[in-house]
């Protein structure tokens, strides 16, 4: 295990921000933690990074304790903080050179800048970079120490959709380099696209933790099948289908909660026997957002800043 967390507890006055949390992160995986604001995910990652020591429980990263081995550990990990500010009047190469001076063994920041598409910005002032370019810079700075683990806290918050997708590809590039990645995010699509495993946090506890596919397929969530039919099918008839759990009908546009494979077979037989015509059929499998809502009751509107 690259990261081991056992019985982590963090208290702020009378509130437990993190409540008896335990999990492991495997070598080479992208591990994601999602949750609403205040769920405890940022507090958890800050304890693991060694930025907080006011916690109870046991944390090991690469066999080291963030409390006892902080100095040694910081040479082995890379950290991109949720909120990072750099001097606008520093040039990119100047801040890279500064960070490189902190380590005896380091990556060539020029090669990193080329890899992540910032080589032509080395002589630019940080204040002139776009949001996406600033985030790439934060990753380059996190990689200068040749880390075995990198922490990404809300990496794409505030980025436009294209910049966000570009950053996703950057994260996958890090994974292909063999780096273990621990990330927190507000974006369900991001976690679904990037993560091997995801932990869902609610009120300081882990509500669910599994691979993305297992979270979507093994937690009792139903498929949704929608279609339009002007005549020949009604709600009562559909409720008699063995695979159907719930039917919503709005102006002959039906949305069925069901096992999609079984329902489509039953629907095909019914249509042929009753000479019905259906249109605009759409099948929607459970998403990570659906799983998140099941365990937290939060919508994305409540989650995002």
């Amino acid at each position: 295990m690259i990261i081991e967390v056992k019985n982590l507890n963090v208290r702020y006055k009378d509130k437990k921000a993190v409540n008896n949390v335990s999990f492991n992160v495997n070598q080479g995986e992208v591990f994601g933690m999602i949750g609403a604001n205040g769920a405890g995910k940022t507090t958890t990652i800050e304890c693991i990074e060694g930025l907080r020591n006011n916690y109870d429980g046991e944390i090991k990263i690469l066999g080291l304790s963030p409390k006892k081995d902080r100095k040694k550990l910081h040479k082995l990990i890379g950290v991109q903080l949720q909120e990072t500010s750099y001097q606008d009047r520093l040039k990119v190469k100047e801040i890279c050179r500064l960070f490189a001076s902190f380590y005896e063994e380091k990556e060539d920041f020029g090669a990193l800048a080329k890899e992540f598409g910032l080589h032509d910005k080395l002589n630019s002032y940080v204040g002139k970079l776009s949001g996406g370019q600033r985030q790439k810079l934060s990753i380059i700075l996190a990689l200068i120490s040749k880390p075995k683990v990198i922490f990404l806290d809300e990496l794409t918050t505030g980025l436009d959709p294209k910049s966000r997708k570009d950053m996703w590809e950057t994260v996958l590039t890090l994974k292909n380099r063999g780096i273990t990645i621990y990330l927190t995010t507000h974006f369900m699509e991001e976690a679904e696209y990037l993560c091997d495993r995801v932990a869902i946090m609610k009120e300081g506890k882990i509500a669910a933790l599994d691979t993305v596919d297992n979270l979507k397929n093994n937690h009792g969530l139903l498929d949704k099948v929608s279609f339009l039919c002007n005549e020949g099918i009604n709600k009562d008839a559909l409720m008699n289908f063995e695979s159907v759990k719930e039917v919503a009908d709005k102006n002959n546009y039906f949305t069925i909660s069901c096992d999609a494979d079984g329902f489509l077979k039953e629907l095909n037989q019914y249509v042929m026997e009753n000479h019905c015509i259906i249109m605009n059929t759409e099948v929607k499998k459970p998403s990570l957002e659906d799983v998140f809502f099941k365990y937290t009751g939060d919508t994305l509107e409540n989650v995002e800043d």
Side-chain angles (χ1 to χ4, degrees), residues 3 87 129 137 139 154 156 158 167 169 189 196 198 221:
I3 299 173
Q87 289 289 336
L129 299 181
L137 174 59
I139 290 182
E154 305 292 353
T156 63
M167 289 308 303
E169 297 309 314
E189 185 185 2
D196 298 300
V198 171
L221 296 173

Side-chain angles (χ1 to χ4, degrees), residues 116-215:
F116 294 107
L118 280 189
H119 195 265
D120 61 341
K121 298 294 182 180
L122 285 174
N123 285 307
S124 299
Y125 290 107
V126 172
K128 297 294 184 180
L129 299 181
S130 68
Q133 289 168 340
R134 280 176 176 251
Q135 293 294 62
K136 286 186 177 182
L137 174 59
S138 70
I139 290 182
I140 289 170
L141 297 178
L143 290 174
I144 284 177
S145 64
K146 294 186 175 181
K148 299 180 183 298
V149 185
I150 189 167
F151 295 89
L152 306 175
D153 193 7
E154 305 292 353
L155 177 65
T156 63
T157 296
L159 299 185
D160 62 78
K162 182 183 183 306
S163 296
R164 183 174 297 133
K165 291 289 180 69
D166 289 343
M167 289 308 303
W168 293 358
E169 297 309 314
T170 298
V171 173
L172 294 180
T173 298
L174 300 180
K175 181 182 179 181
N176 291 336
R177 290 173 62 155
I179 297 173
T180 302
I181 300 165
Y182 180 124
L183 66 86
T184 69
T185 181
H186 279 151
F187 300 105
M188 302 299 127
E189 185 185 2
E190 180 168 291
E192 199 162 349
Y193 186 81
L194 293 175
C195 296
D196 298 300
R197 290 188 303 142
V198 171
I200 298 174
M201 287 201 77
K202 180 183 181 181
E203 297 177 352
K205 296 182 178 182
I206 292 181
L209 194 165
D210 212 327
T211 66
V212 173
D213 285 343
N214 283 345
L215 284 171

Side-chain angles (χ1 to χ4, degrees), residues 37-103:
N37 290 327
K41 60 187 187 298
T42 294
T43 301
T44 300
I45 196 174
E46 288 177 348
C47 291
I48 298 170
E49 292 165 343
L51 299 179
R52 292 180 180 270
N53 57 19
N54 59 332
Y55 64 82
D56 296 317
E58 184 179 352
I59 300 174
K60 293 287 186 182
I61 311 176
L62 301 165
L64 301 174
S65 165
K67 283 184 177 180
K68 299 176 181 178
D69 308 303
R70 183 175 179 180
K71 196 169 184 180
K72 186 184 296 185
L73 183 62
H74 281 185
K75 295 180 180 180
L76 301 174
I77 67 173
V79 177
Q80 173 269 327
L81 298 174
Q82 184 173 347
E83 294 184 12
T84 305
S85 60
Y86 307 117
Q87 289 289 336
D88 286 348
R89 295 299 296 172
L90 275 178
K91 290 184 177 181
V92 171
K93 67 179 180 182
E94 291 172 335
I95 195 168
C96 288
R97 191 175 292 125
L98 173 64
F99 271 66
S101 70
F102 300 154
Y103 307 103

